[in-house]
Amino acid sequence: MTITLPELPYGKGDLAPHITEKTIDFHYGKHHKTYVTNLVKLIEGTELENEALENIIKKTVGDKAKAGIFNNAAQVWNHTFYWHSMKPNGGGSPTGQIAEKIKADFGSYEKFVEEFKNAGLTQFGSGWAWLVLKDNKLQVTKTANADTPLAHGLKPLLTADVWEHAYYLDYQNKRADYLDVFIKNLINWDFANSLL
Ligand code: MN
């Protein structure tokens, strides 16, 4: 299996004005692409060369000698998952099964918003905020750098990239503003529902 850069699920300018085409150009066209290029080089000629991306992540997590492979593989996976976590005209209150589950597991949509935003804001430095399923219960969590819940037995349903490269061109240092917009205007609840 060759690791390649997956196509975006929408056009580069389709999330504007919330996330501009310029940001997507750099974030997808440079950052995400570079993780793919690096990973392909790192696994070339190794026993991981023909493994699926998810297996590479699970087989290298916690292995210091393979940290480079894990970091690039996890970043490839996280970014693809992030692109699908958003859609044009997304965000706002969820519908469908995820809406019921958010109410059951968090108490209310507002409580979920508070926890998700807090996870993104309190991730010191680079990382990710997540909505995951753990033992069939929804949970908000955060990971540092390239780390991913996928590597720790959790089922991711949504993610927000909180590396500065995700928002700096559009929001500069204002991570809170970017997270507000992500929640209000971008979340792809259809995607989360499809994974439940
Ligand atoms: Mn990123």
Side-chain angles (χ1 to χ4, degrees), residues 27 31 35 75 79 82 128 161 163 165-166:
H27 199 178
H31 291 278
Y35 295 127
Q75 283 295 77
H79 279 89
Y82 170 63
W128 302 81
D161 188 343
W163 285 57
H165 66 222

Side-chain angles (χ1 to χ4, degrees), residues 26-41:
F26 277 96
H27 199 178
Y28 171 75
K30 307 276 187 203
H31 291 278
H32 194 178
K33 189 180 175 197
T34 301
Y35 295 127
V36 172
T37 306
N38 288 345
L39 178 61
V40 168
K41 272 189 210 153

